[in-house]
Amino acid sequence: MEHFISVNDIHSLKQAVNLAREIKQNRFGFRHTGKNKTMVLLFFNSSLRTRLSTQKAAMNLGMNTIVLNVGEESWQLETETGVVMDGDKPEHLREAIPVIGSYCDIIGVRAFARLQDRNEDYSEMILTQFVELAGVPVVSLEGATRHPLQSYADLVTIEELRKTEKPRVVLTWAPHPKALPQAVANSFVEWMSKTGYQLVVTHPEGYELAPEFLGDVQVEYDQKKAFEGADFIYAKNWSSYNQYGQVLSRDRNWMVDAEKMARTNQAKFMHCLPVRRNMVVSDEVIDGPDSVVIQQAANREVTAQAVLKMMLESL
Ligand code: AN0
Ligand code: CP
């Protein structure tokens, strides 16, 4: 594997799941694979799980890790091309990227959608420059349009828990006070579309995902109907793609609660975290026996380790 930006960087999902499960059984079995290799993790945005799990994954492989919060701990970086740099940003990405690349063997980058300009976000302006200029493999720690490390962990979690060959997996929009990117939802749909699962997406009108991600996936605007017979409920908020970056609905009736979960086939409740309790999901559901959010987060370590192992082996 050269870069890890989307599901297309994985040759076989089946093998990827098997590798993650093998690593989970024996995390330190490959502790020499990354000897004398360094990973830099660069964050333009906040993180709890991604920074800890990816760092831990790299350490399990014997790598050295350096974490940098851009702006807070480094110079503010200019990301726009062709601008006169007379503002408050002293350094441009175009120098910073190859400099960072010269100190490491793999770069991880988190650069969320800014939700201002759809073309800019959907062109993955920042990640693309890393791939072009780093000179080393790049791992997306959540880009503007995708969060592949999250989706990989989600897939492994479903594989661990599914009771049928083709579970009914429902991605449901849920309310949130702030505008969030579509990345987690896009990526989840992109990965799930490559499995044999029955995937359904439910959201209020106006929250349709980008057609290139949604493809021919079933959309059900009636959330209660979508929940019928579900084996997995994956909750996530995202802002509008069509009215780009806007919050169109604050309808609290879309929160996942016990009454809705009762319509499912005793579905497992999933969320990538961080989650706003009693906005996205009720305490009762997230604290209940069918909530698998902690298992999901724990799987971030093993899937990140699988990605880094595949990358190290092709260096
Ligand atoms: C981010 C998002 O929705 O993309 C990160 C999720 C992993 N969430 C928030 O900013 C709350
Ligand atoms: N799920 C996830 O990526 O969490 P963080 O934003 O805390 O890294």
Side-chain angles (χ1 to χ4, degrees), residues 194-220:
K194 297 221 163 196
T195 66
Y197 307 159
Q198 304 167 57
L199 177 63
V200 180
V201 183
T202 182
H203 54 71
E205 286 194 33
Y207 281 96
E208 291 75 14
L209 293 169
E212 66 264 37
F213 286 98
L214 190 63
D216 57 7
V217 171
Q218 186 192 339
V219 176
E220 170 56 69

Side-chain angles (χ1 to χ4, degrees), residues 171-173 180-182 185 201 203 207 209 236-240:
L171 169 65
T172 181
W173 181 93
L180 295 185
Q182 295 107 30
V201 183
H203 54 71
Y207 281 96
L209 293 169
K236 184 71 184 84
N237 171 271
W238 62 88
S239 59
S240 175

